[in-house]
Amino acid sequence: MPEINDALRMAAAQLLDAGVEQARLDARLLLAAVTGLSHEEMIRDPAAELSPEHVAAYGGVIARRAAREPVSRIVGRREFWSLEFEITSDTLDPRPDSETLIGAVLSMVKDRGQVLRILDVGVGSGCLLLALLSEYPQAYGMGIDISQGALDVARRNAERLGLCRRAHFLRCDVRRADWAGQVRGPFDLVIANPPYIRTADITVLAPEVSRFDPLAALAGGEDGLDFYRMITNSMAQLLCPDGLAVFEAGAGQAEAVQMLLQQAGLAGLDPHYDLGGVARAVIGRFEA
């Protein structure tokens, strides 16, 4: 049977050949998932032999990663805002860029004890809504999504994180003209990471995204702004006076999203930038 070091070396080489970045790290993460060994244990005893069962299982997950399935999807979980979230084929894979929205809200609403009503449009795994509820212990939130599978995942995440009493979920299609009436606002905060990829650009995305993220959570129409238009059209119905809207935007989209918020009657506030320097969180305040 191969030793840990040999297994890691062969797996990393296979992943490199498949064009996977950080091949050695991914090989180690997947071996830890298969064996239950910590990174420290693998480093401390690199000559330990793997069992036949672990060898077979490891070969399977490495083949999946070589096909460009993300590690997070293989293991079924992703860390976001220092919380662990279950993800499935029904949900987007949460990415660090989206944490910019949480930081933006925290900078705008400094009183952590404030009673807030939060609406998350396109809740997916629940990462945005539940991260905010973890930071604001007096807040209550509703997450809506067109996908029943995503809503089921979000509910399980809320239960596991101990937030299910303050989080409610509703199947809702924002493409319907009457969708905003279903959520029974108004809210103090509306957050959204809507589909914003231009339809023509989806095929040129990294395979980890184009092959494994749900298409409905990616495709934002010809210019990527279709869902922003649908959501901002209902801002007056959704937000309390002085309420905030915080939307994630793709690279180069912040100005257009800000314009849509302003056309909906919100005062534009300075965007927040992700670690790559992209204006990622677009913010508006409803002054009606």
Side-chain angles (χ1 to χ4, degrees), residues 14-265:
Q14 183 178 346
L15 296 182
L16 276 174
D17 286 344
V20 173
E21 298 180 4
Q22 298 183 317
R24 180 78 179 183
L25 173 61
D26 286 1
R28 188 175 294 276
L29 290 170
L30 289 171
L31 185 59
V34 164
T35 63
L37 294 171
S38 68
H39 300 313
E40 293 76 13
E41 288 171 324
M42 287 189 274
I43 293 171
R44 188 167 56 244
D45 192 8
E49 290 189 351
L50 298 176
S51 70
E53 293 78 15
H54 285 157
V55 170
Y58 192 47
V61 297
I62 291 298
R64 291 172 65 183
R65 185 66 188 106
R68 305 300 291 273
E69 185 174 356
V71 170
S72 53
R73 292 205 177 278
I74 295 171
V75 301
R77 60 184 182 275
R78 164 73 82 169
E79 183 179 299
F80 182 89
W81 203 254
S82 299
L83 304 170
E84 187 174 272
F85 290 87
E86 174 193 347
I87 63 171
T88 72
S89 59
D90 293 301
T91 68
L92 279 178
D93 187 350
R95 294 175 176 86
D97 289 345
S98 298
E99 293 186 347
T100 309
L101 276 70
I102 308 302
V105 174
L106 292 175
S107 72
M108 301 294 296
V109 186
K110 299 185 184 298
D111 180 5
R112 302 292 181 91
Q114 186 169 336
V115 178
L116 296 171
R117 288 195 72 207
I118 303 170
L119 174 67
D120 185 352
V121 182
V123 70
S125 65
C127 63
L128 291 175
L129 177 62
L130 298 176
L132 286 171
L133 293 182
S134 76
E135 293 287 350
Y136 295 97
Q138 302 303 315
Y140 292 82
M142 173 174 284
I144 64 172
D145 208 292
I146 192 174
S147 166
Q148 186 60 53
L151 292 169
D152 293 341
V153 173
R155 285 192 185 94
R156 291 197 295 270
N157 282 325
E159 291 170 0
R160 191 176 60 259
L161 294 170
L163 297 169
C164 57
R165 292 186 178 181
R166 295 192 285 124
H168 304 278
F169 302 97
L170 175 70
R171 190 173 187 184
C172 183
D173 184 353
V174 300
R175 296 170 300 183
R176 292 175 56 96
D178 62 346
W179 75 271
Q182 298 179 46
V183 301
R184 298 182 182 179
F187 297 87
D188 303 290
L189 170 65
V190 175
I191 56 172
N193 177 15
Y196 58 68
I197 306 298
R198 296 173 182 85
T199 302
D201 293 342
I202 290 176
T203 57
V204 300
L205 296 173
E208 285 83 353
V209 178
S210 61
R211 296 179 190 171
F212 296 99
D213 275 337
L215 179 62
L218 296 175
E222 184 176 350
D223 63 357
L225 300 175
D226 283 1
F227 284 87
Y228 295 105
R229 294 186 183 96
M230 297 173 198
I231 299 168
T232 55
N233 283 341
S234 298
M235 282 290 99
Q237 191 173 352
L238 294 173
L239 277 176
C240 298
D242 209 35
L244 287 172
V246 182
F247 292 173
E248 179 166 334
Q253 292 179 319
E255 185 175 349
V257 175
Q258 191 77 277
M259 183 65 68
L260 289 171
L261 285 171
Q262 291 171 340
Q263 291 171 355

